[in-house]
Each structure stands twice: as structure tokens, then as C-alpha cells.
Amino acid sequence: MYFSRIDKHLAGLLIIFAALCVVYAWATPPLEASDELWHFGAINYIADTGLLPVQKIGLKTAWEQEGSQPPLYYLISAALIAPINRLDFDAARQPNPHVIAGVPGAVGNKNLVLYDSAHPPLQNTILAVYILRLFSIILGCISVAAVYQTAALLNVSHRYFPLAAAGLAAFNPMFIFITASVNNDNLVTALNSLLIWQMLILLRDGFSTRRSLFMALLIAAASLTKLSGLVMIPIIGLAALWVVWQKRDWRGLFTLAILIGLAWMLLAGWWYARNVTLYGELFGTRTMVAVAGARAGDFTFNTLLSEFQGFRFAYWALFGAVNIMTFRWFYDVMDIVTILGLVGAGLYVWLNRRNIAMLVQFFLLSTAILGGIIGVIGWTAQTYASQGRLLFPYIAAISTLLALGLFALFDSIRRIKNKPWLYFAPVGALGLFAFIVPFASITPDYAPPAALEHVPDSARQVYARFGDVALVGYETPDARYARDGTLPITVYWQVLKASDRDLSLYLHALTSDGHEVGKVDSYPGGGRLRTTTWIPGAIYADTYAIFLNNQLVDPSMLRLQVGWWDYPSGELIDAADNDGKKLDSVMLDSGAIAAPQVIQSSADLMAVPNINFGGSLSLTGYQFQDNQLTLAWKTLNSPPADYTVFVQVLDDANKVVGQGDAPPQMPTHYWRPGEQFLTRHTIAYPQTLSSGNYRLVVGWYKPDDFSRLNTDSPDDAYVLTTITIP
């Protein structure tokens, strides 16, 4: 077949795009792509029974909300995999009970299902998944080609313009990711992209019966694939009305309308009638919301703004179960590119304000995007669905107009205008980045940790046995954390013997008084390393990041409680030390938690003249009632070590007759200059005191060697007050 030079470039782009899709399909384990688990569940059910799923609210199914979708993609896919043995589907979709879906910042538990390998053998259900991914890749190639053809119809003078527009779609990491997955978006995107292309041909050439029939079939097929296929109907209607106004071809309009109506009723109408019969609604969206989960609270403009960041991210790169991001700077770069494209599009409109044909093309493409945005907003107002990838059915318009804006902006810069290859440079950079993403961002989140031969020297040594496994070390920064912070932790497990059940571990961050401020419940390896697969004798590094909640707590040291349990039964696994003695709990020192600037104060304190201790701490006030003492401290300089407050009651012979030593809740080496803290002490008396006067003295000492912070008082003990016993 003869290709012009540009056509050869398109063929090359499609080859590169398909290769990238294969890489993304390899990087993402089966059933882990966005909603792939439930899309495949619907397909599998149809292939097994020959029936469409019927939604029953409150009943857990393998297809969940996807059973409410129009069925064309599922019907075709079911026919493709029907000959394949899929009896292992239930085993392949065994859920990860600790998955953290929809939270990109979380560490671990990205996987929706449990698996022993990120690349299982190509057989049975796994083979069926990859066959459908290949089908989706073919559909993605159709979409990219349609973007190219759409852009070519804009008559932009640059020969690289159609290729750049298609490249903005083909090299969008999120578009590649969805294309390389089992998802009905791929079919509706291909159909809508072809429709947008045909719409521009209609504007240029007018009506023809063949084209009208083709467009009618595309509309019917898109409507039977996803509700977003309906958005193009009024857009095509506007285009047809413009052609009638230009050419007075009412017969062509009548033919197009009749063909669309007939094709829709014959090919798609039955499914909408089925919705009315089964659910009492035409589109099935209320039923879908009931299954997926309705949005809690009111949906306001502020809600829309607050979710806009995630919406943008999900257009360019938000993988897995909406829980895997790529490099943070990439989103900022694409924001800038989008803004530049919008500015350039405005410039293009202004420069072509007298070119009516170009303005009509621009208007219809923009209206298609606007219709898609309105549809997404309407849907996300009902359930949590603020994902930019839902605009992919309109990617032929989006990528074309984005490229148009960038080219218009480049045309205004003389240095770029004289170097045509620079016009395509941003698209080439995007393609290079798209190649890096699966290796840098996707694969690492699914790869199980490798076995180690020994615990690193940097780890703190500890030992606690939990049945078949022992905790032999851990690493965490000696840091002070704020509320809403994240506590990183790596624990090292040594496998003592093979396990016959998959156990879960828990890591609970606690304050000094036992208040829980964060936790992780997980299968080990962040959900990727089941205990039944562990190798006896091996050591595994298990890394997590524990989100610390924003509850108000007093400054405190942090300790991490570690343990194991059986998720199905809830049975806790007892801990024991090296001698086999049972441990009540296993606690690991893990830093401290406090506000960025601590100012603890009490109006009832009696002021003292800022007594200096070691140039680090200053006593500023106290309150003494019965045997309860509260001391107020100001940090002058961060103490070099952790000190304990000593509180002593002395008689005339300097004998200690009462004592209330206690360390502060947050160790002193975390205290920062300018901060103010309270320490609280209960004074205990070993015997009844005789009548007389006693001195109450306070100070600081280091527990390991009892050395005191110096102050201008004998024995570095400041006389706070006198206690009189009648």
C-alpha cells in the first residue's frame, strides 16, 4: 500500500504506540488496571452464561457497578474469550483485604487482588485477560489514527501538525495505560474519535448517504458501549444543521436523521428498553450509583474545585486502582502545557476570526469537549468519579485543539517558527517520558520485596517471634512528626518455617498515653508477599509509610506496636522473646509527634524568674496542689540528649523524703528553641512526714549516667518552694 510521507509517520507512530501499550500491559499485573477487575467480571459472566448481568443492590458480584454499563464491549470481548478455560477466575481475583484504592499517596497495598507473581503464566483466566488487552490495544490504535485524521482536516499549514496532535494522545501515559487494559472506554473512545473525524468531513464535503449510514452505525455502537457515546448525538446534530444552512441540503439532513434514528433503535434501543423494564429508568445510572456507592454530602462548586487536582492528574497519569502516581513534577509540567495550549487556542481564534469554516470546526470540537465535561460533572455529582480519563472518549477533539493551541503559540515566537522540528519536540519528550513511566512508577509498586541474606547494619536490632516468623530488626528515622505527617518504617522479618495460612500484620503508631494516631493493616510486602509463599530462612524487608491523623494530641514520643493476626478469623498471633517467654506487646521507638510550634501554657501557673538549666531549658512557672506538680519550661536551645525531670522533697538534712521524677511525654532532644512545654509530676512519699518545713527542688538529669543540667543552685537542684507540714 502506498503511503505519503505523513502517512508513513502515522504508521510509525502507531507502531510505537502499540509497543508502549504492550510495555504498560506487561508492567500492570492482570486485573490491576483501573476497574479492569470488574470489567472482566462482566465479560466472564456473559461468556459463561450468554446472559447480561442483572444488578441487585446490596449483592456483591464479580462485576459490581460495571454490570450497569451498555454491553457492546462486553459482548465482543465475551465472544473473544469464550473458548478459553476460565474456571480459575475466582482464584485469580482473590481480593487483597487491605487494598488502599483511590489514595495515590499511600505506600503499599496498591494491588486489588492477591498474586504470587506480577507476571503469572499465560494460561486460563490470565490468558483471557491479555487477549482482551490486545483487543483494547487495537481499539486504541484506531483512536490514535482517528485523532490524526481529525487534525489533518483542520488545514493547518504545518505538515507535522496531525502527527503532533495524534502524538499528544498516543504518548499520554494515562491513555496508554487505559488502552492496555480491559476497559469499555477503549471501544467508546475509538467510536467517538471516528465520529469526530467523520463530523469534520461532513463539514467539508456535505452529506452523503454512505457517510450518513457510517455515522449512524457509529452513534448506535457508541451508545451501546457507554453513555458517553450519547454526548456526540447533539454535536453531530449541530454540524448537520450548519451544513444545511450552508448548502440547503434538507434531504441530506433528513436522510442522516432517519438513519441515526433507525440504527439507534435497532442496535442500541433494546438495551435502554431493558433498563426501563428491569430498573424503571432509561440510562440505569441510579442503579449504578446505588451499586458503586453514592456521594456523601452535597456536591457544590467548592467540591468540584477541591477534586480538580485529582481530575487533572487522572487525565495524564494515575495508574492502578487510582492509587499510583508518577513523578510529581510531571503534573505541573502538563498543567503548564495545557495552559499554554488554551492561550494558544485563544490566539488561534483571534487570528482566524474571519475564517468562518475554521471557527465552526473549532466550535464543534470545543462543544464536544464541553459536552464531555458536563457529562463527567453530572456523573461525579452522584458518585466519586472525578477522573480526567473519563474524557478520553473526546480525545480526538482534546488532542487536536491542544496541538492547535501550542502550534499557534509557537507560530508567534520567531525563533521557533524558523525551526519546524521544534514544534514536535514537546510531543517527542512526552513519548520518551511515557516509555520511562512503567519502569519507574508502575512496576515497582507491584513487585514483591526480594529475600535478603541478612539484616542491614543500619537497622536497629530487636527480636520477637510470632509463630512462624520473627521480627529481627527495624529502621525508622529518629524524627519529630507533625499531625498529617507520614511515619516511614521498615521492619525485617525472618522466616522460621513455612506457613500454611496467609497472615496479616498490623503497625499501630501510639503516643505515650496509648492514643492511636495512625495505623497500617496489611499482608506483608505491602500486600504483595503472602506468608504462604515465604521461603524458610529468608529475611524480608517490609516497608510502609504510616499516615498520622490530624487529631489534637499533646507532644509525645511515638511508639509503633507491631503484631500479626489472621484476617478471616481475627485471631491474634502471640509474641514471644528469644527464650520463648510470652510478650504482652511489641513496641518500637519511632520518633515523636507534635505541632510545628509547641506552646503549652496554663493560666494557673505561678511565674518564676526564668531559671536556666544548662543553657538549654528555662523554668518559667509552676503549679503545686496536694501532691500534684506542673512545671512550665521554655526551650532556649535544643537539648543534646534526652533528660528526665527530677522532683524531690528534701528535709533539713538534705535527705529525699518524697519524689516525683518523670520524663516529659516528648523526649527533650525533639524540643525546638522558643517552644514551651509542661511536665506533670505526682509526688510520692514513702512514709508520713513529720511536722516541719521541707524544700521542693527540681532539675534535669540524663538517665544513662545521672549527670545533671547545671543551674545556679547547689547540686544543680533549684529550690522551687517550701512545703510546710503542720
Side-chain angles (χ1 to χ4, degrees):
M1 181 181 294
Y2 174 79
F3 289 98
S4 69
R5 183 173 182 179
I6 295 297
D7 289 331
K8 289 179 180 178
H9 288 159
L10 173 59
L13 178 65
L14 291 177
I15 291 172
I16 295 171
F17 171 69
L20 285 172
C21 288
V22 170
V23 172
Y24 277 66
W26 167 84
T28 308
L31 306 177
E32 290 295 346
S34 298
D35 297 333
E36 184 176 63
L37 175 62
W38 302 291
H39 287 301
F40 188 87
I43 294 166
N44 185 70
Y45 177 80
I46 296 171
D48 280 346
T49 66
L51 303 172
L52 295 181
V54 176
Q55 298 292 70
K56 295 181 179 179
I57 298 171
L59 178 65
K60 190 75 172 176
T61 63
W63 52 84
E64 294 196 4
Q65 71 274 9
E66 307 306 342
S68 297
Q69 297 263 27
L72 183 57
Y73 178 83
Y74 305 129
L75 291 170
I76 298 172
S77 298
L80 291 174
I81 67 168
I84 300 173
N85 182 343
R86 290 163 281 102
L87 294 178
D88 63 338
F89 176 54
D90 285 339
R93 71 183 184 96
Q94 184 179 351
N96 173 11
H98 307 296
V99 64
I100 306 175
V103 185
V107 175
N109 285 292
K110 306 293 186 181
N111 50 305
L112 287 168
V113 300
L114 300 173
Y115 48 80
D116 297 333
S117 170
H119 304 104
L122 281 175
Q123 59 189 21
N124 303 330
T125 293
I126 302 305
L127 175 61
V129 170
Y130 279 104
I131 287 175
L132 296 184
R133 286 183 173 184
L134 178 60
F135 170 53
S136 291
I137 291 172
I138 294 171
L139 295 173
C141 289
I142 294 173
S143 299
V144 171
V147 175
Y148 178 89
Q149 299 295 347
T150 298
L153 289 170
L154 262 61
N155 294 321
V156 176
S157 60
H158 301 276
R159 66 178 184 178
Y160 290 118
F161 173 70
L163 194 62
L168 286 174
F171 295 153
N172 177 341
M174 191 66 182
F175 182 70
I176 302 170
F177 174 73
I178 293 298
T179 299
S181 72
V182 181
N183 196 307
N184 65 342
D185 280 352
N186 294 308
L187 181 55
V188 75
T189 299
L191 295 169
N192 273 6
S193 297
L194 291 173
L195 262 173
I196 291 171
W197 169 38
Q198 291 299 306
M199 178 184 70
L200 294 190
I201 295 178
L202 173 65
L203 292 177
R204 185 191 66 184
D205 298 342
F207 295 109
S208 76
T209 302
R210 180 178 296 180
R211 184 178 307 109
S212 294
L213 177 60
F214 184 40
M215 295 177 72
L217 293 174
L218 288 174
I219 288 173
S223 301
L224 193 59
T225 302
K226 196 167 184 177
L227 294 179
S228 50
L230 296 171
V231 173
M232 287 306 301
I233 296 177
I235 312 301
I236 297 298
L238 288 174
L241 289 174
W242 172 257
V243 172
V244 170
W245 189 81
Q246 287 287 96
K247 302 188 177 185
R248 299 296 187 265
D249 187 357
W250 291 99
R251 180 178 179 179
L253 176 64
F254 180 77
T255 301
L256 176 62
I258 291 297
L259 289 174
I260 289 175
L262 287 175
W264 194 89
M265 286 189 293
L266 292 173
L267 299 178
W270 65 269
W271 183 80
Y272 293 86
R274 176 180 180 268
N275 283 339
V276 174
T277 301
L278 287 177
Y279 312 120
E281 54 171 329
L282 186 64
F283 301 117
T285 52
R286 291 200 304 271
T287 303
M288 192 173 184
V289 168
V291 174
R295 178 181 285 275
D298 295 332
F299 183 80
T300 65
F301 182 70
N302 287 334
T303 307
L304 190 64
L305 289 179
S306 67
E307 296 179 4
F308 184 55
Q309 182 185 67
F311 179 86
R312 302 192 323 270
F313 285 9
Y315 184 84
W316 293 109
L318 200 52
F319 311 112
V322 199
N323 57 6
I324 298 176
M325 294 176 63
T326 188
F327 303 101
R328 180 60 182 83
W329 55 263
F330 171 72
Y331 305 97
D332 296 330
V333 170
M334 297 318 295
D335 280 347
I336 294 172
V337 169
T338 303
I339 292 171
L340 292 176
L342 290 172
V343 172
L347 177 63
Y348 169 83
V349 170
W350 173 254
L351 294 175
N352 291 273
R353 60 189 181 276
R354 292 183 177 86
N355 188 336
I356 301 301
M358 294 286 281
L359 292 180
V360 169
Q361 289 177 326
F362 187 93
F363 169 77
L364 289 173
L365 293 176
S366 301
T367 305
I369 299 171
L370 180 61
I373 292 173
I374 292 173
V376 172
I377 292 175
W379 176 238
T380 198
Q382 301 174 66
T383 187
Y384 296 97
S386 296
Q387 297 186 48
R389 70 173 181 87
L390 297 178
L391 293 180
F392 285 164
Y394 320 99
I395 199 167
I398 294 171
S399 295
T400 297
L401 292 188
L402 180 58
L404 186 69
L406 293 174
F407 271 55
L409 203 61
F410 293 161
D411 279 343
S412 66
I413 304 174
R414 181 173 299 177
R415 290 184 179 181
I416 295 180
K417 189 174 183 178
N418 296 330
K419 298 177 181 178
W421 63 271
L422 284 176
Y423 285 70
F424 196 74
V427 179
L430 182 61
L432 179 60
F433 181 80
F435 176 73
I436 295 171
V437 164
F439 303 100
S441 303
I442 300 177
T443 300
D445 275 316
Y446 292 117
L452 306 176
E453 294 183 357
H454 56 81
V455 178
D457 294 337
S458 57
R460 291 185 244 185
Q461 301 297 313
V462 67
Y463 187 90
R465 176 171 181 167
F466 300 87
D468 301 332
V469 65
L471 175 66
V472 292
Y474 76 101
E475 289 184 88
T476 188
D478 182 21
R480 169 175 157 175
Y481 302 94
R483 300 190 304 272
D484 285 333
T486 300
L487 168 65
I489 178 75
T490 298
V491 286
Y492 293 92
W493 306 107
Q494 184 175 39
V495 185
L496 304 179
K497 63 178 182 178
S499 176
D500 60 357
R501 55 179 175 169
D502 291 320
L503 297 177
S504 300
L505 65 93
Y506 62 84
L507 304 168
H508 294 180
L510 306 176
T511 61
S512 301
D513 58 3
H515 183 74
E516 183 182 285
V517 292
K519 69 175 183 177
V520 165
D521 294 326
S522 177
Y523 279 165
R528 300 163 295 176
L529 191 67
R530 294 188 286 177
T531 52
T532 52
T533 67
W534 285 19
I535 303 171
I539 295 174
Y540 293 102
D542 208 1
T543 299
Y544 298 91
I546 302 174
F547 176 74
L548 303 174
N549 59 47
N550 60 1
Q551 296 178 13
L552 291 174
V553 295
D554 289 332
S556 172
M557 67 180 297
L558 271 178
R559 304 189 75 190
L560 204 62
Q561 185 178 26
V562 184
W564 287 84
W565 56 302
D566 179 55
Y567 179 83
S569 66
E571 172 196 354
L572 293 176
I573 309 302
D574 290 334
D577 63 17
N578 202 23
D579 297 323
K581 183 180 178 181
K582 183 179 178 180
L583 300 172
D584 292 333
S585 63
V586 177
M587 296 285 191
L588 309 178
D589 292 337
S590 305
I593 184 170
Q597 181 73 10
V598 178
I599 304 293
Q600 289 184 306
S601 61
S602 174
D604 298 328
L605 294 179
M606 181 178 294
V608 297
N610 291 324
I611 309 304
N612 187 299
F613 288 85
S616 297
L617 303 168
S618 173
L619 178 66
T620 61
Y622 75 96
Q623 181 186 56
F624 182 57
Q625 186 174 2
D626 298 329
N627 64 336
Q628 301 297 317
L629 175 66
T630 299
L631 300 173
W633 306 94
K634 183 176 182 179
T635 311
L636 305 176
N637 293 291
S638 297
D642 290 331
Y643 288 86
T644 293
V645 179
F646 67 83
V647 175
Q648 298 175 346
V649 179
L650 305 179
D651 61 14
D652 290 339
N654 285 331
K655 178 183 177 182
V656 177
V657 295
Q659 195 155 3
D661 296 7
Q665 280 198 313
M666 187 171 77
T668 54
H669 82 273
Y670 298 112
W671 293 18
R672 296 171 181 169
E675 294 186 318
Q676 299 175 34
F677 294 88
L678 298 177
T679 61
R680 295 178 174 85
H681 309 267
T682 299
I683 301 176
Y685 299 94
Q687 58 187 21
T688 302
L689 298 182
S690 304
S691 59
N693 294 323
Y694 298 86
R695 288 169 294 142
L696 178 63
V697 300
V698 300
W700 293 86
Y701 69 90
K702 195 159 55 171
D704 55 355
D705 61 6
F706 297 99
S707 59
R708 295 183 175 183
L709 286 177
N710 63 293
T711 188
D712 191 18
S713 296
D715 293 329
D716 294 319
Y718 174 72
V719 179
L720 187 64
T721 187
T722 299
I723 301 174
T724 301
I725 304 296

